[in-house]
Amino acid sequence: MTIDFPAFLVLASALTGGIWLIDVLLFAPRRRRTNDAALLKGVTDKLLLREPTIVEYARSFFPVIFAVLILRSFLVEPFRIPSNSMMPTLLTGDFILVNKFAYGLRLPMLNYKIVEIGNPQRGDVVVFKYPENPRIDYIKRVVGLPGDEINYRDKTIFVNGEPVIQLPVGSFSGEGSGIEMTGAKQSLEHLGEINHVILTLFGAPDSPSNCQVLALGPIMVPPNQYFVMGDNRDNSRDSRCWGFVPEDHFVGKAFAIWMHWDMARNGFPILWSRLGNGIQ
């Protein structure tokens, strides 16, 4: 069962905050009056001062839950990378941080944008709601912006008819969950303002297997939508398979790796060299 964590935080904040507020407005004054009257009669039983256990818990948990809700909804949200589709930029087992306000502030659950800040740029590594199932989060790299003409052939992206520059940088040497990609060709790709490394496999088709190919010929990106691809080009289900990402599906921009934990690695599962790395 998938837990809708944003919904849980909203409901938990509303429940604990509501209990605390109702007590402050209605029941706490009544307890104080009862206590004052008892003290005037010489009664000093401390039980008169106690608030109900449920109120005590609500008052204690509400600030913590609400702070997490604000932090996660508007500032930074953590994610775990579950697959190899973004290798070598991101590896299976990377725990990343995502900037939630890079593309505007949105209300939790409703995903309604309340403040315009910026838009995804070509080359950004982005987290978004999978268009075919918005309950699932995906992470890919923005390749095409609204109005762009995108083509992908011979392992090269063409944006508005111009090829994106790639420079070979040797073969990939994987470990852990990425061992299967050992020997893949690494290329330094200059996409927008970002230089990043991609992986390709010799002899593999331009579209991943079992995909409906959308980019055999030039394709125009519609208004308010984006074309995204994984850096592991021959092992990524992306816009070549299921189409464009609507602007309102974006969650945020990935910017840092704070942990790496991969049980498939020989020896210790933490790869210390990845901790604290920025994401380009």
Side-chain angles (χ1 to χ4, degrees):
M1 180 178 65
T2 301
I3 297 176
D4 190 338
F5 197 54
F8 169 78
L9 288 176
V10 170
L11 292 175
S13 296
L15 180 62
T16 55
I19 291 172
W20 188 17
L21 180 62
I22 291 172
D23 182 72
V24 168
L25 295 178
L26 300 179
F27 299 108
R30 187 179 304 172
R31 287 198 304 274
R32 284 195 295 270
R33 289 194 297 269
T34 300
N35 180 64
D36 291 343
L39 289 176
L40 289 175
K41 295 178 180 179
V43 178
T44 58
D45 190 344
K46 293 184 179 180
L47 290 177
L48 293 173
L49 298 174
R50 289 186 60 182
E51 61 186 1
T53 301
I54 189 174
V55 174
E56 183 179 353
Y57 278 119
R59 177 172 53 80
S60 300
F61 285 119
F62 171 73
V64 177
I65 296 173
F66 189 69
V68 173
L69 173 64
I70 296 299
L71 179 67
R72 192 179 186 276
S73 299
F74 301 115
L75 298 177
V76 176
E77 184 173 356
F79 288 88
R80 181 184 182 276
I81 303 301
S83 74
N84 288 334
S85 71
M86 282 296 293
M87 290 174 62
T89 304
L90 297 172
L91 306 180
T92 299
D94 280 344
F95 289 78
I96 65 170
L97 296 176
V98 172
N99 181 338
K100 295 296 292 289
F101 59 85
Y103 307 135
L105 298 181
R106 296 180 182 274
L107 292 176
M109 293 180 62
L110 301 177
N111 207 36
Y112 178 76
K113 186 181 289 188
I114 55 176
V115 179
E116 289 279 356
I117 295 178
N119 295 305
Q121 300 299 308
R122 191 176 292 110
D124 286 358
V125 176
V126 295
V127 172
F128 56 92
K129 300 297 182 183
Y130 179 37
E132 295 187 348
N133 183 357
R135 295 177 65 87
I136 300 175
D137 293 313
Y138 264 36
I139 184 165
K140 304 292 179 185
R141 189 179 298 274
V142 174
V143 170
L145 306 180
D148 280 347
E149 181 188 79
I150 300 296
N151 197 0
Y152 184 69
R153 65 176 188 270
D154 300 328
K155 312 298 183 186
T156 300
I157 300 170
F158 292 79
V159 179
N160 300 321
E162 296 295 325
V164 174
I165 297 174
Q166 294 181 7
L167 299 174
V169 290
S171 298
F172 180 71
S173 178
E175 60 176 307
S177 297
I179 193 71
E180 67 204 45
M181 294 304 299
T182 297
K185 176 185 176 182
Q186 293 189 116
S187 300
L188 183 66
E189 184 177 76
H190 183 73
L191 186 60
E193 300 298 320
I194 303 297
N195 289 316
H196 63 103
V197 178
I198 64 170
L199 298 182
T200 54
L201 295 170
F202 178 77
D206 284 339
S207 176
S209 60
N210 302 319
C211 276
Q212 175 186 355
V213 180
L214 297 179
L216 280 179
I219 185 170
M220 187 69 67
V221 183
N224 299 316
Q225 303 208 40
Y226 295 79
F227 194 95
V228 299
M229 295 177 70
D231 289 349
N232 190 355
R233 293 288 158 79
D234 298 315
N235 283 285
S236 171
R237 287 184 55 84
D238 47 42
S239 286
R240 292 169 292 175
C241 303
W242 38 256
F244 307 102
V245 179
E247 187 273 337
D248 61 5
H249 279 46
F250 283 101
V251 173
K253 179 180 179 181
F255 69 92
I257 300 168
W258 65 272
M259 173 57 72
H260 176 88
W261 184 280
D262 183 5
M263 293 299 294
R265 293 186 69 241
N266 291 326
F268 200 59
I270 296 178
L271 190 58
W272 298 105
S273 61
R274 296 192 64 77
L275 275 59
N277 289 353
I279 298 173
Q280 291 292 325

